[in-house]
Amino acid sequence: MRISRIIIGLTLSLLLGSSVAIAADFGKGLEAKNSGDFKTALAEWIPLAEQGNAMAQFNLGHMYANGYGVPENDKTAVKWYTLAAEQGFAIAQRNLGDMYANGRGVPENDKTAVKWYTLAADQGYAKGQYNLGTMYANGRGVPENHKTAVKWYTLAAEQGYARAQFNLGTMYANGRGVPENDKTAVKWFTLAAEQGYATAQRYLGAMYDFGDGVPQNDKTAVKWYTLASYNGSEVARENKDAVAKQMTPADISAAQDMSSRCLENNYRDC
């Protein structure tokens, strides 16, 4: 009995020691990658990936997909993503879905992309849910189904994923998969806009511009158009200039002050 306990204790110690060592090696690789030392990251992660460590496999895939420390190689990225994805690593599943959806490293295959997006989405991974929603919204790899798209967009949007919030807003604005509801569209556009998502800011500006789902308000419209313009939307800049022609200099100044405060406060209290 005593010998059994000693053997069990030694086995647990070895397992725990191995896990700690693996975590330490992975951490060294992560620290190196974050500091731009890709050579060291590769040296730490390749042995772990070859031993079956899913996090290391995923990170190797990411490095090959983006050419970090190695020549960009989509086929090798797919290899490592696949090994991590097959172990249930949700981020790898989503990224692998992207590779199939875009034909990177593999022939484009929307059905296979949907398979991997679904596995990631079913684990609650917001980006996987968003991608799966997009596939249903556009009928890629699955029959077009707006209700199912709304389902997945909603799950991702409720986790705070800005792209899903914006897409969900467009579904409500256009009555796709849900009854048309401009107020709800404004809600989701606002949540995405307050994360600095330029397209949502432009759409939100348009809602205030035309009084859809909210009382018409030129100053608030210009505020959001200005923020979208600042974040790279040329259309928003044109819209802002068109609305400003109808406003007094004082109102234009007030709208500019509002947009400046939004930026200074990182979109809090906009």
Side-chain angles (χ1 to χ4, degrees), residues 26-231:
F26 180 82
K28 288 178 189 175
L30 187 60
E31 185 177 346
K33 178 179 180 288
N34 290 340
S35 66
D37 183 2
F38 300 125
K39 183 178 178 180
T40 299
L42 286 166
E44 295 292 341
W45 285 340
I46 287 173
L48 292 178
E50 289 174 343
Q51 293 170 42
N53 183 281
M55 288 190 297
Q57 291 168 341
F58 163 75
N59 278 279
L60 280 183
H62 185 66
M63 291 180 79
Y64 276 102
N66 295 284
Y68 294 151
V70 288
E72 187 174 317
N73 189 318
D74 288 341
K75 286 187 178 180
T76 305
V78 166
K79 165 194 165 182
W80 290 115
Y81 282 153
T82 301
L83 288 170
E86 287 174 344
Q87 295 192 65
F89 198 63
I91 304 175
Q93 291 169 337
R94 183 260 182 173
N95 282 25
L96 186 57
D98 283 348
M99 302 301 273
Y100 278 99
N102 297 307
R104 291 186 58 192
V106 286
E108 185 176 323
N109 189 318
D110 288 342
K111 286 186 178 180
T112 304
V114 166
K115 165 193 165 182
W116 290 113
Y117 289 150
T118 301
L119 288 169
D122 283 341
Q123 294 193 66
Y125 185 52
K127 290 183 179 180
Q129 293 168 337
Y130 162 77
N131 285 114
L132 187 56
T134 300
M135 299 301 272
Y136 276 101
N138 296 305
R140 290 187 58 188
V142 286
E144 186 174 310
N145 189 317
H146 294 158
K147 286 186 178 180
T148 304
V150 166
K151 166 193 167 182
W152 290 113
Y153 285 153
T154 301
L155 289 170
E158 288 173 345
Q159 294 191 65
Y161 191 54
R163 290 189 175 191
Q165 291 169 338
F166 168 72
N167 280 25
L168 186 56
T170 65
M171 301 298 272
Y172 277 100
N174 297 304
R176 293 179 63 195
V178 285
E180 185 175 323
N181 188 320
D182 286 338
K183 286 186 178 180
T184 305
V186 166
K187 165 192 167 182
W188 291 113
F189 289 151
T190 302
L191 288 169
E194 289 174 346
Q195 294 189 63
Y197 191 55
T199 310
Q201 292 171 336
R202 176 167 67 85
Y203 273 57
L204 187 56
M207 301 300 272
Y208 280 99
D209 190 354
F210 296 102
D212 293 331
V214 285
Q216 197 280 334
N217 189 312
D218 286 343
K219 285 191 287 188
T220 306
V222 167
K223 175 188 78 173
W224 286 112
Y225 283 149
T226 300
L227 290 166
S229 174
Y230 176 82
N231 286 314

Side-chain angles (χ1 to χ4, degrees), residues 261-262 265 267-270:
R261 283 197 301 273
C262 279
N265 295 322
Y267 298 105
R268 291 190 297 274
D269 302 321
C270 275

